[in-house]
Amino acid sequence: MAEEQGKTGKGINTGKLATNMQKRLSRAQEKVLQKLGKADETRDTAFEEGVANFNKQMAEGTKLQKDLRAYLAAVKTMHDASKRLQDCLADMYEPEWFGKEEVDTIAEETDILWSDYHDKLVDNSMIAMDTYLAQFPDVKARIAKRDRKMTDYDSARHHFGSLQKGKKQDQAKIAKAEEELGRAQKVFEEINVDLQDELPQLWNSRVGFYVNTFQSMAGYQQRFHKDMGKLNQDLNDVMTKLDEQRLANEAVAANHSITPDAAPKTDTAVAAAAGTATTAVTNGSSEVLPAGVIYKVKAMHDYAATDGDELEMKAGDVVLVLAWENPDEQDDGWLMGVKESHWLENKDLLAKGVFPENFTQKL
């Protein structure tokens, strides 16, 4: 029983193989005859144009898929590079610096923003691209099948025609050939009609697909760059504040470095301690100084005031040195004065302030 079934199966497979081989041989012969001009070929100009459009559409879609994947890979690379850079900044940012918590938060939100952007591109644009291209292999296979069935139809048509024109009319063979022609025509027309409807629809669908793909990508990019721009502005603001902190610390350090530990008492301090009251002095020359002014000094260096009671000076400014109202308030190495330019313009000594003595030279 098993042997009989095995023989039957083998016979079926052998018969099917022989049939396929005969079909291939017939198709090859038909193609040769058509190329030699000895047999006419069924032609459909509109369908051939549709196939040309299909091949163009498939090639463009394949290229777009390749470039989109390359773009996604570049986004992933930029994400990784951005994360390493933000992590580096967060790691080296010292706790006492301005905005430490803000910097850590910006790094986290930047990483989330990149991840969200990449995921949206994959979940929407890339998946839609893959779905769009997935329909092409089946259509391509059916186009190839249609070509084969068209060759079968042409071969059957020519065979039937040659029998009809033959000198010896074998009605049995003619009837069989007519039957085979009918089957071949039916198979060909079924697949041909389906493709005639499907190819134009597929060709026209490309515009809508491109619109949806690039509109969604443009929207994702717009939101991504808008949110990223805000984070960059926040980071820029933190860096500005950090630089202000640095400048303030440098100014404080500079002020401390110019204050000597034990400076001799100044002429101002001696005069104030002695209770000297002058209405006008000559400062060792014939020039008469305003009442309350002890002497003049000239600024040798710029001095930036860091407190409200300090006097800001530029190199070359002349300052009228005043006596301290309360000598106990005087710090060693510091003088009280008002710029001569202010005195000459306003004739008062109200805009006074303290300044480091070693930034000046006595006149």
Side-chain angles (χ1 to χ4, degrees):
M1 183 72 176
E3 291 182 359
E4 291 179 359
Q5 289 179 348
K7 290 180 180 180
T8 302
K10 184 180 293 186
I12 293 174
N13 291 335
T14 303
K16 186 175 182 181
L17 179 61
T19 301
N20 290 337
M21 289 296 293
Q22 182 61 43
K23 284 184 178 180
R24 291 180 182 179
L25 180 61
S26 298
R27 289 166 185 165
Q29 290 174 343
E30 183 67 22
K31 288 293 184 183
V32 170
L33 292 174
Q34 289 174 352
K35 288 182 179 180
L36 293 175
K38 295 183 179 181
D40 64 308
E41 180 182 2
T42 301
R43 302 296 298 270
D44 187 337
T45 304
F47 183 82
E48 291 173 0
E49 182 180 348
V51 172
N53 289 338
F54 169 82
N55 291 331
K56 180 176 183 291
Q57 184 180 3
M58 183 170 61
E60 291 175 346
T62 302
K63 183 179 184 302
L64 177 59
Q65 183 188 50
K66 179 181 178 181
D67 291 340
L68 183 56
R69 284 176 176 168
Y71 179 78
L72 285 173
V75 170
K76 185 65 170 61
T77 300
M78 278 297 298
H79 178 195
D80 293 340
S82 173
K83 188 176 188 309
R84 288 194 298 270
L85 185 62
Q86 293 289 343
D87 289 345
C88 178
L89 176 61
D91 290 342
M92 69 183 185
Y93 211 89
E94 298 180 9
E96 65 272 14
W97 290 359
F98 177 88
K100 170 60 177 173
E101 292 184 0
E102 286 85 345
V103 168
D104 292 341
T105 300
I106 290 172
E108 293 176 2
E109 292 182 354
T110 299
D111 181 47
I112 293 173
L113 193 59
W114 273 108
S115 296
D116 182 65
Y117 178 49
H118 181 269
D119 291 346
K120 284 182 177 177
L121 288 176
V122 172
D123 293 342
N124 294 278
S125 300
M126 196 69 247
I127 292 178
M129 184 78 248
D130 293 341
T131 303
Y132 171 73
L133 280 182
Q135 59 191 326
F136 286 88
D138 175 67
V139 176
K140 183 179 180 181
R142 287 191 287 125
I143 290 174
K145 183 177 180 180
R146 176 203 177 266
D147 290 343
R148 294 192 299 272
K149 297 306 178 183
M150 184 179 68
T151 303
D152 292 343
Y153 166 65
D154 286 341
S155 178
R157 182 165 55 85
H158 295 148
H159 179 60
F160 175 69
S162 64
L163 289 177
Q164 282 184 321
K165 296 175 182 178
K167 294 180 180 180
K168 295 182 179 181
Q169 296 285 322
D170 188 334
Q171 297 301 322
K173 287 184 177 181
I174 292 175
K176 183 179 179 181
E178 186 177 12
E179 183 181 347
E180 290 177 352
L181 174 60
R183 286 199 300 267
Q185 183 177 6
K186 180 181 179 182
V187 172
F188 168 69
E189 287 181 350
E190 284 178 354
I191 189 171
N192 185 58
V193 169
D194 289 342
L195 288 172
Q196 291 277 13
D197 293 336
E198 188 171 351
L199 287 179
Q201 293 176 5
L202 182 60
W203 173 249
N204 294 331
S205 71
R206 74 195 192 285
V207 177
F209 172 74
Y210 295 155
V211 169
N212 292 334
T213 298
F214 284 95
Q215 270 190 343
S216 62
M217 287 186 64
Y220 300 145
Q221 288 178 343
Q222 184 180 26
R223 287 190 291 273
F224 170 76
H225 290 298
K226 178 181 178 181
D227 294 341
M228 187 62 74
K230 184 178 183 303
L231 289 177
N232 288 332
Q233 183 60 54
D234 292 344
L235 182 59
N236 182 66
D237 293 342
V238 171
M239 294 297 104
T240 300
K241 293 293 185 182
L242 177 61
D243 194 45
E244 292 175 357
Q245 183 187 55
R246 175 186 66 84
L247 294 174
N249 291 340
E250 289 181 355
V252 171
N255 291 340
H256 288 169
S257 67
I258 64 174
T259 304
D261 293 334
K265 287 191 175 182
T266 63
D267 294 345
T268 306
V270 173
T276 305
T278 60
T279 57
V281 295
T282 61
N283 198 30
S285 69
S286 59
E287 181 182 6
V288 176
L289 299 177
V293 176
I294 303 173
Y295 57 87
K296 292 183 179 182
V297 295
K298 181 179 180 181
M300 304 306 295
H301 309 284
D302 292 351
Y303 177 72
T306 59
D307 207 344
D309 64 345
E310 294 181 4
L311 183 69
E312 184 160 331
M313 302 183 299
K314 298 291 185 182
D317 286 348
V318 176
V319 180
L320 306 178
V321 178
L322 306 175
W324 290 73
E325 294 178 1
N326 184 357
D328 294 334
E329 294 179 355
Q330 183 180 6
D331 293 326
D332 291 338
W334 289 78
L335 301 177
M336 173 78 71
V338 61
K339 291 183 181 179
E340 185 179 49
S341 59
H342 176 83
W343 160 256
L344 294 175
E345 183 178 352
N346 300 284
K347 298 302 180 181
D348 66 58
L349 304 175
L350 299 178
K352 60 186 177 179
V354 298
F355 57 94
E357 184 179 11
N358 59 1
F359 268 54
T360 64
Q361 181 178 352
K362 188 175 180 181
L363 298 178

